[in-house]
Amino acid sequence: MSSAPIRSPTLRPHRMKKDESFLGKLGGTLARKKKAKEVSDLQEEGKNAINAPMNPSAVDIHPEDTLLEENEERTMIDPNSKEDPKFKELIKVLIDWINDVLVEERIIVKQLEEDLYDGQVLQKLLEKLADRKLNVAEVTQSEIGQKQKLQTVLEAVHDLLRPHGWTIKWNVDSIHGKNLISILHLLVALAMHFRAPIRLPEHVSVQVVVVRVSMKLYKIFVRAIILDYSDFMLLERDAFDTLFDHAPDKLSVVKKSLITFVNKHLNKLNLEVTELETQFADGVYLVLLMGLLEDYFVPLHNFYLTPESFDQKVHNVSFAFELMQDGGLKKPKARPEDVVNLDLKSTLRVLYNLFTKYKNVE
C-alpha cells in the first residue's frame, strides 16, 4: 500500500487580476478577506484530518528505525495503542500464562519482546506444552546462534500448527527483531492450540506505525491491526459459558437430554453412549450420528473406524464437522482438537447444535 505524501502544499490565495480597479478592490476587500479566511480554515481543517494520521511529527521515531535498505520496511506499535486497556490486558494474560507454564523451570517473563526474541524462553515453553525435547543448544550468545535456535523452535511450532489450518504471521526475523505484533500472534496461536486455561480479551485493535524506505527516502504511515481471534470461536461467550460458570447444577440435566437424543439414533446401530466427553472424542460416533440423522451411509474409507493417533481422531471430528455443514448447520463453535482433548463444553456445543436441528427426526 503506497503512502500519501507526508506534507501537503501550503494553501495560497488567488492573485488579483491586474486590471481590477482600485475602487473594486477597496469595496470588496473585507468581504473577500473574510471569505478567504473561512475557505482557508475549512481547507486546512480538512487537510489536517486527512494527513494527521500520516504526519511523522505526531510519531516518535527513533533514528535507528529509519536505517533501512531500499524497499525495506519496519513496523512498531503506536505508543498510544500500548496504553489501550485491552492491549495491556492481552499482554498481561499472556505473560501470566507463560510464567504459570514455566514455573518449574524457574523462568520469569516480564517483557515479551525482550524475553522471547532469542528463542530461549520459546524453546522451554514449546517443550513444556508439547511434552517433547528439541535438539537445540541450551545457551546461545551470538546473533547467528540465536537465529539458528529460533529457526529450529519455529519450525517445530509450524509443524504443529500448519496441519490444523493456522496462518503463520511471524518469522525468525520478526521475532528476533522484537516485533511485538509477531510475538503476540505466535503466543496466541500456541495458547489456543494447547487449550491454555485463559480468556483472551476480544477485538484488540492496534495502531502500527510503518516506516518504509523508497527512492532513498523514508515514508511513515499508520495502519490498524486487529488482534481478533473470533475465527476460532473460543472467545465468544454463549449459553454454555453461563451454564458452566453460574448454573453447574443444571449441567446434569443438559447432559441427560443430549444422551437421550444421541442414543435414540445410535441405538439403531446397537451403539450406546453413557459419557459424552469421552465417547465422542475420537469422532467415530459423531460421523455415524450424522449419517443416521441425514439418512445416508458414510463410506468407511472416509474416516478411521478405530483411530489410534491424535491426528486420526482430529481427522474424524473434522470430517464430522464437514458433514454437519453439508447438512446446513453453521460451522461448530469448537475446534476438533478441543473435542479430541475431552473438553466437555466443546462437545456439548456440537451436540446441542445437532439436537436443535434434528430433535424431531425419528
Side-chain angles (χ1 to χ4, degrees):
M1 174 180 175
S2 300
S3 60
I6 300 303
R7 291 188 176 87
S8 299
T10 306
L11 296 173
R12 297 174 180 173
H14 296 292
R15 293 185 177 183
M16 299 293 183
K17 293 181 180 180
K18 291 184 178 180
D19 60 350
E20 189 173 359
S21 68
F22 175 75
L23 291 178
K25 287 189 290 184
L26 181 61
T29 295
L30 294 179
R32 281 198 302 273
K33 281 188 176 181
K34 182 178 180 181
K35 185 66 174 178
K37 187 177 186 308
E38 290 176 353
V39 172
S40 177
D41 289 346
L42 183 60
Q43 290 177 328
E44 190 67 25
E45 183 180 352
K47 182 183 69 174
N48 291 337
I50 295 172
N51 292 333
M54 311 178 74
N55 191 340
S57 63
V59 181
D60 184 16
I61 301 297
H62 195 279
E64 292 182 358
D65 292 327
T66 63
L67 300 178
L68 306 174
E69 299 295 330
E70 182 69 16
N71 295 322
E72 185 181 358
E73 71 176 35
R74 181 170 297 165
T75 62
M76 58 216 76
I77 298 175
D78 187 337
N80 292 328
S81 287
K82 288 187 176 182
E83 297 304 314
D84 182 86
K86 285 189 176 182
F87 183 78
K88 295 172 77 171
E89 181 186 357
L90 177 63
I91 298 291
K92 183 179 185 305
V93 167
L94 291 173
I95 289 178
D96 289 346
W97 169 62
I98 294 172
N99 288 333
D100 286 343
V101 173
L102 299 179
V103 63
E104 295 180 359
E105 301 288 335
R106 297 183 179 179
I107 293 175
I108 299 177
V109 171
K110 295 182 178 179
Q111 191 173 0
L112 294 179
E113 57 265 58
E114 294 297 332
D115 294 336
L116 272 66
Y117 80 96
D118 61 358
Q120 182 74 17
V121 173
L122 284 175
Q123 173 207 342
K124 297 297 183 183
L125 180 64
L126 182 61
E127 288 180 340
K128 196 73 175 179
L129 293 172
D131 193 23
R132 56 174 289 194
K133 187 71 175 176
L134 297 180
N135 185 23
V136 293
E138 282 299 315
V139 180
T140 53
Q141 298 294 336
S142 69
E143 179 178 338
I144 294 177
Q146 289 174 352
K147 285 191 172 183
Q148 289 175 340
K149 178 173 187 173
L150 192 57
Q151 178 71 39
T152 301
V153 175
L154 293 184
E155 285 177 356
V157 171
H158 299 167
D159 289 342
L160 285 171
L161 300 182
R162 279 202 178 102
H164 302 297
W166 286 91
T167 301
I168 307 303
K169 299 181 179 180
W170 57 85
N171 54 42
V172 171
D173 289 333
S174 65
I175 299 297
H176 194 268
K178 303 180 182 180
N179 185 309
L180 184 53
I181 293 295
S182 294
I183 293 173
L184 289 176
H185 281 305
L186 169 60
L187 291 177
V188 169
L190 287 174
M192 299 183 75
H193 178 78
F194 287 104
R195 293 283 306 142
I198 58 178
R199 180 168 291 279
L200 301 173
E202 302 179 41
H203 313 303
V204 182
S205 179
V206 181
Q207 292 288 340
V208 177
V209 180
V210 182
V211 181
R212 177 182 296 164
V213 171
S214 178
M215 303 296 291
K216 303 300 182 181
L217 299 174
Y218 75 88
K219 300 178 181 180
I220 301 173
F221 59 98
V222 177
R223 68 179 179 215
I225 293 180
I226 300 177
L227 300 170
D228 184 5
Y229 310 101
S230 57
D231 285 347
F232 303 97
M233 310 307 289
L234 293 180
L235 300 178
E236 183 179 336
R237 290 187 62 82
D238 58 14
F240 284 99
D241 288 303
T242 304
L243 181 68
F244 274 70
D245 295 344
H246 305 292
D249 54 309
K250 297 181 180 179
L251 183 59
S252 60
V253 177
V254 174
K255 291 174 67 175
K256 184 177 180 180
S257 298
L258 292 177
I259 287 175
T260 300
F261 163 70
V262 297
N263 281 336
K264 173 183 174 182
H265 300 281
L266 290 176
N267 286 165
K268 299 172 186 176
L269 298 177
N270 294 320
L271 301 174
E272 185 173 3
V273 170
T274 56
E275 292 292 334
L276 296 178
E277 57 265 59
T278 58
Q279 290 181 267
F280 283 99
D282 63 6
V284 175
Y285 279 12
L286 274 179
V287 173
L288 297 177
L289 182 59
M290 281 308 303
L292 291 166
L293 293 172
E294 286 289 333
D295 194 24
Y296 56 68
F297 174 76
V298 182
L300 297 182
H301 66 265
N302 284 334
F303 67 103
Y304 298 94
L305 192 58
T306 56
E308 297 178 355
S309 67
F310 180 83
D311 287 340
Q312 288 178 353
K313 294 175 182 179
V314 170
H315 168 85
N316 283 355
V317 178
S318 300
F319 178 56
F321 284 7
E322 291 176 11
L323 297 180
M324 293 174 195
Q325 290 176 270
D326 289 343
L329 287 168
K330 292 182 179 180
K331 183 179 180 180
K333 294 184 178 181
R335 294 167 58 224
E337 293 84 357
D338 300 335
V339 176
V340 176
N341 282 327
L342 309 181
D343 182 70
L344 177 58
K345 193 186 298 184
S346 296
T347 304
L348 291 178
R349 285 188 174 113
V350 174
L351 294 177
Y352 185 75
N353 278 347
L354 295 179
F355 172 77
T356 301
K357 179 173 181 179
Y358 299 103
K359 58 186 176 183
N360 296 321
V361 173
E362 294 299 329

